[in-house]
Amino acid sequence: MAVGKKGRSAVKEAGKKVASWAWGKIFRKSLLVIFLLLLGGLLFNLDRLGRTGINLLKYKDYLPGFVVRMLPGGGVPEGRAVPQQILNGQVIEIYDGDTLTLLVSDGGTEKRYKVRFYGIDAPEADQEYGIASRDALRGKILGENVRVEVISVDRYGRSVGKVMLGGRYINLEMVFEGNAWYYADYASGERDLENAQNSARRLRQGLWQKHNPLPPWEYRREKRD
């Protein structure tokens, strides 16, 4: 039976719709595959993307475990330094104004070291000026390669040391800019740190803008009591 003009037109239109639907589905699947490939490439190369992977470490508590393991230092064992040891590595995390994580590569083996700054004490993260202190340190050295001169190892296994970025003594900078206190109880006789604090207080820099800021060791004591 012959198909009329209207019938042929309807069949043609239906064919177009089917083709459009099929190509649309194929296109969407192709986009999904491309997206997954790009995402996979990103995740497996985070440690090669400069600060991208390092910045994601700030949010690691909210990321899936498999993503965290792909971030710089993910799955890398903890190292334990000894006094007078020199650590050269990349700063991959800043916890607060006086504590960081250093990723050290030695002979093809990587280790993570938690480093506490020698001779200074920064405000706690939940203390007034704590976030500003942390952010100041992040701006200085997050993602940078630094040198740590280990002075001692504390009871938590952290390397306590002097942090150098090129010729800059970061411990000293943090005190001089009013981002941390000189911690005299654990570094007596460090005149450079003492003088830096006196200068910061005189110039009302950083935390010294407040008349009588509460030292972090007293803040911790109050929280324990």
Side-chain angles (χ1 to χ4, degrees):
M1 187 173 74
V3 180
K5 186 181 288 186
K6 287 186 177 180
R8 290 195 297 272
S9 178
V11 170
K12 189 175 181 180
E13 189 64 30
K16 284 183 179 180
K17 288 182 178 180
V18 170
S20 176
W21 173 83
W23 279 110
K25 194 169 183 179
I26 291 170
F27 181 70
R28 286 193 296 273
K29 281 189 174 181
S30 298
L31 282 181
L32 179 60
V33 170
I34 291 170
F35 172 75
L36 290 175
L37 287 172
L38 290 174
L39 179 61
L42 171 66
L43 292 176
F44 281 102
N45 289 279
L46 282 173
D47 59 337
R48 303 186 186 95
L49 294 178
R51 294 173 68 96
T52 303
I54 291 171
N55 284 328
L56 280 175
L57 281 166
K58 301 175 189 175
Y59 313 104
K60 69 176 184 178
D61 292 340
Y62 309 101
L63 297 173
F66 78 94
V67 174
V68 173
R69 286 191 292 273
M70 295 175 187
L71 296 175
V76 175
E78 293 276 355
R80 189 179 179 92
V82 296
Q84 299 185 355
Q85 185 175 347
I86 301 297
L87 300 174
N88 290 289
Q90 184 182 35
V91 179
I92 61 171
E93 285 187 85
I94 299 289
Y95 297 94
D96 51 34
D98 59 31
T99 314
L100 59 82
T101 295
L102 192 69
L103 182 62
V104 176
S105 180
D106 184 14
T109 301
E110 289 186 325
K111 287 185 180 179
R112 289 182 296 121
Y113 293 85
K114 197 164 185 180
V115 176
R116 175 72 160 78
F117 282 61
Y118 169 74
I120 76 173
D121 198 3
E124 299 295 320
D126 58 351
Q127 185 181 353
E128 186 177 6
Y129 206 79
I131 299 302
S133 173
R134 180 202 65 190
D135 290 347
L137 186 58
R138 279 181 175 172
K140 289 177 182 294
I141 60 174
L142 184 63
E144 300 289 346
N145 290 310
V146 301
R147 179 175 183 264
V148 177
E149 301 174 10
V150 180
I151 305 299
S152 62
V153 177
D154 69 13
R155 58 179 174 167
Y156 304 107
R158 298 178 300 186
S159 304
V160 180
K162 297 182 177 182
V163 180
M164 309 295 296
L165 176 61
R168 295 165 55 191
Y169 181 18
I170 303 302
N171 308 46
L172 185 67
E173 285 188 12
M174 290 294 287
V175 176
F176 180 76
E177 294 170 3
N179 292 311
W181 273 261
Y182 164 43
Y183 207 2
D185 286 352
Y186 289 88
S188 61
E190 294 288 334
R191 296 299 299 277
D192 53 351
L193 295 176
E194 182 180 3
N195 291 338
Q197 177 164 289
N198 291 337
S199 176
R201 180 185 289 150
R202 185 176 64 255
L203 297 172
R204 304 293 295 274
Q205 299 205 104
L207 58 88
W208 298 107
Q209 293 174 37
K210 189 172 180 179
H211 177 64
N212 191 26
L214 181 68
W217 54 87
E218 291 184 10
Y219 177 78
R220 291 191 292 267
R221 187 183 304 122
E222 287 183 2
K223 290 192 71 174
R224 288 195 299 267
D225 293 343

